[in-house]
């Protein structure tokens, strides 16, 4: 089935503007669904109110020029903008933007952290931040509502390839870099760098927190998929199975599954608690042997993300296709065309997939399906129980297999 196009946001271009440098490496939705942000290339990040963006699609059709009259960020120190009236912002980050992440002080789930005062800035319960990872190794933190630059974090020595905030409202930020390290920052403590996670033999491409913020997954070159205990800042395990660089990862909403995307043309869905591959979504048929999967094959998978219903995964590959998969089916349930796609993510409510390419963003309606009561119960249980505990439950084997996503 073909996915329905919802709309597109096109980056402004001039007759002399070449494609190089306009890559959209990252697109992100705010946790509360209020904002959409993406990198337009050439140091520029665009922030738009998501509800307003959807209304424009409905009123004016699918196309929407991103160079429409927007509100430029007020200079640092000025009192422009307010959270009650979301404004469109254009941010010049000073260098090429490789990664974006929204961080909220309002936890998506019950926080595991102790609330402390934020020293340097007036800190309220409704803080919404945007972190931008740059080509020169810097991370700049912006206040989304006022547009002020709050922090400039300088410690990485290479490109900051990915950023992720802990979903518990603690404003703990993890950055993944080509300098082979991950760094953990505490934005409630003036952006203090708490820990350096070492172990990757090469570039780190991506990182993602589990829903309860206890585990971090990091992926990188040399087939690396690592899981970290974020209470002890130690490595839990390495997941082995990919045959080429691994470039993206994301946990399912209940934390029971982990999806990873690789240049070996495959998306794997793992049980992260025991390190077993449960599903394989191939993008080249027949699947390439390990030798051919380790090189150029025109089917490199660039991005993967989990839907909020816990049933669907979206992937984006070099074969100019976006695919929607069900976790219990072998073939895509929907597809959509996209040239030179680099990143994708689901909207906060899961109804729309956003994908970035050459400074622009394209949107598709996601497969809609009412989740079964069985699946909802499974997700509720798996949010609080790891695989080892599920396997010890005094219930029939088939039920255990279902709860462990093995059938």
């Amino acid at each position: 089935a073909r996915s329905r196009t919802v709309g597109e946001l096109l980056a402004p271009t001039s007759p002399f503007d070449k494609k190089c440098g306009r890559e959209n490496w990252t697109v992100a939705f705010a946790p509360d669904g209020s904002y959409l942000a993406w990198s337009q290339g050439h140091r520029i990040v665009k922030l738009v109110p998501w509800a307003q963006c959807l209304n424009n699609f409905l009123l004016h059709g699918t196309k929407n020029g991103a160079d429409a009259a927007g509100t430029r960020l007020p200079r640092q120190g000025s009192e422009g903008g307010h959270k009650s009236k979301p404004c469109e912002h254009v941010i010049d980050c000073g260098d090429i933007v490789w990664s974006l992440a929204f961080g909220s002080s309002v936890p998506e789930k019950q926080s595991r952290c102790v609330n402390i005062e934020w020293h340097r800035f007036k800190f309220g319960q409704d803080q919404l931040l945007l972190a931008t990872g740059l080509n020169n190794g810097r991370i700049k933190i912006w206040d989304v509502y006022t547009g002020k630059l709050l922090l400039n974090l300088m410690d990485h020595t290479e490109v900051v390839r990915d950023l992720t905030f802990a979903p518990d409202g603690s404003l703990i930020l993890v950055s993944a870099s080509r300098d082979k390290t991950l760094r953990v920052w505490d934005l409630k403590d003036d952006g203090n760098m708490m820990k350096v996670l070492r172990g990757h033999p090469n570039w780190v491409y991506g990182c993602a927190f589990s829903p309860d913020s206890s585990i971090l997954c990091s992926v990188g070159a040399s087939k690396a998929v690592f899981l970290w205990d974020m209470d002890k800042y130690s490595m839990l395990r390495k997941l082995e199975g990919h045959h080429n660089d691994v470039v993206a990862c994301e946990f399912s909403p209940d934390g029971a599954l982990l999806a990873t995307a690789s240049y070996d043309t495959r998306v794997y869905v793992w049980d992260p608690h025991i390190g077993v591959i449960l599903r394989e979504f191939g993008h080249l048929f027949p699947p390439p042997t390990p030798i051919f999967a380790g090189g150029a094959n025109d089917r490199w998978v660039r991005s993967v993300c989990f839907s909020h219903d816990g049933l669907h995964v979206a992937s984006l590959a070099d074969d100019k296709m976006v695919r929607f998969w069900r976790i219990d089916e072998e073939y895509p349930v929907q597809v959509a065309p996209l040239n030179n796609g680099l990143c994708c993510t689901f909207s906060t409510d899961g109804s729309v997939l956003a994908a970035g390419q050459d400074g622009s963003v394209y949107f598709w309606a996601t497969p809609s399906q009412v989740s079964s009561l069985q699946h909802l119960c499974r997700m509720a249980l798996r949010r609080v129980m790891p695989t080892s505990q599920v396997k010890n439950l005094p219930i029939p084997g088939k039920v255990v297999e279902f709860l462990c996503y093995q059938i």
Side-chain angles (χ1 to χ4, degrees):
R2 183 81 169 264
S3 294
R4 178 175 61 84
T5 302
V6 173
E8 54 193 47
L9 292 171
L10 305 178
T13 57
S14 68
F16 308 106
D17 196 8
K18 295 182 179 177
K19 292 285 188 186
C20 184
R22 279 187 54 220
E23 291 85 2
N24 176 358
W25 290 107
T26 177
V27 59
F29 287 93
D32 62 359
S34 58
Y35 275 94
L36 164 75
W38 79 98
S39 60
Q40 290 191 343
H42 302 311
R43 322 186 317 186
I44 301 300
V45 167
K46 190 72 178 278
L47 262 169
V48 296
W50 176 234
Q52 177 187 317
C53 189
L54 276 178
N55 286 337
N56 287 346
F57 291 152
L58 291 172
L59 290 172
H60 307 297
T62 60
K63 293 200 175 184
N64 189 5
D67 53 344
T71 307
R72 281 205 167 265
L73 282 175
R75 284 183 301 183
Q76 190 173 355
S78 69
E79 292 299 322
H82 193 266
K83 63 179 172 49
S84 62
K85 292 185 71 174
C87 295
E88 210 169 275
H89 296 315
V90 177
I91 303 177
D92 187 341
C93 294
D95 204 347
I96 295 170
V97 181
W98 283 85
S99 49
L100 289 174
F102 281 97
S104 173
S105 58
V106 179
E108 296 174 32
K109 297 185 171 54
Q110 187 60 40
S111 177
R112 302 182 311 127
C113 69
V114 178
N115 261 341
I116 59 172
E117 291 295 318
W118 203 14
H119 304 161
R120 188 177 305 177
F121 308 107
K122 186 178 178 182
F123 181 71
Q125 277 302 302
D126 53 359
Q127 193 82 30
L128 182 61
L129 307 178
L130 179 70
T132 55
L134 307 181
N135 195 65
N136 57 12
R138 294 191 178 191
I139 302 167
K140 291 187 177 180
I141 311 294
W142 309 83
D143 186 308
V144 172
Y145 301 133
T146 65
K148 291 180 181 178
L149 177 64
L150 299 178
L151 290 168
N152 197 349
L153 309 179
M154 297 177 286
D155 213 73
H156 282 296
T157 57
E158 283 278 355
V159 170
V160 180
R161 192 63 187 84
D162 199 16
L163 295 165
T164 184
F165 276 95
D168 61 7
S170 61
L171 290 183
I172 298 295
L173 174 70
V174 175
S175 54
S177 172
R178 286 184 181 174
D179 64 12
K180 307 178 186 178
T181 68
L182 297 132
R183 293 172 194 263
V184 185
W185 313 82
D186 186 354
L187 299 193
K188 283 187 177 176
D189 186 20
D190 294 349
N192 176 48
M193 192 186 71
M194 302 161 60
K195 198 73 180 176
V196 181
L197 304 179
R198 305 182 191 274
H200 278 268
N202 217 313
W203 291 1
V204 191
Y205 279 100
C207 54
F209 268 103
S210 63
D212 65 357
S213 306
S214 65
I215 298 174
L216 180 84
C217 175
S218 62
V219 296
S222 308
K223 314 172 191 176
V225 182
F226 295 166
L227 296 178
W228 306 83
D229 182 328
M230 293 307 285
D231 288 323
K232 302 175 182 176
Y233 299 113
S234 60
M235 190 181 295
L236 281 172
R237 62 175 59 88
K238 299 178 183 179
L239 303 183
E240 298 182 352
H242 280 297
H243 304 294
N244 203 335
D245 294 358
V246 189
V247 294
C249 60
E250 189 165 49
F251 283 89
S252 62
D254 58 3
L257 303 173
L258 171 71
T260 56
S262 170
Y263 289 167
D264 66 8
T265 77
R266 297 171 173 95
V267 167
Y268 285 152
V269 178
W270 309 76
D271 183 326
H273 301 287
I274 56 177
V276 172
I277 298 171
L278 300 177
R279 305 279 185 279
E280 176 183 325
F281 299 137
H283 295 67
L284 179 61
F285 300 95
T289 62
I291 291 176
F292 288 103
N297 48 51
D298 298 324
R299 296 290 191 281
W300 285 1
V301 188
R302 296 281 179 177
S303 186
V304 67
C305 53
F306 243 107
S307 170
H308 298 259
D309 63 7
L311 284 173
H312 294 90
V313 174
S315 66
L316 191 154
D318 280 353
D319 62 355
K320 305 178 182 178
M321 296 292 285
V322 177
R323 292 173 172 85
F324 295 93
W325 311 78
R326 264 188 66 102
I327 58 170
D328 54 0
E329 294 186 18
E330 190 177 351
Y331 300 105
V333 291
Q334 286 184 16
V335 296
L338 181 68
N339 288 337
N340 305 320
L342 294 171
C343 59
C344 65
T345 188
F346 282 96
S347 60
T348 309
D349 65 359
S351 64
V352 173
L353 181 80
Q357 162 253 31
D358 290 339
S360 301
V361 193
Y362 297 84
F363 303 92
W364 294 275
T366 58
S368 57
Q369 184 173 356
V370 177
S371 298
S372 68
L373 183 58
Q374 289 173 308
H375 175 65
L376 293 174
C377 291
R378 171 168 62 181
M379 287 184 67
L381 186 72
R382 291 311 309 269
R383 280 191 177 97
V384 295
M385 294 188 75
T387 305
S388 56
Q389 290 182 19
V390 172
K391 291 196 170 182
N392 289 329
L393 291 174
I395 54 178
K398 281 291 183 185
V399 180
V400 171
E401 288 181 15
F402 177 77
L403 292 175
C404 294
Y405 290 91
Q406 292 174 352
I407 56 172

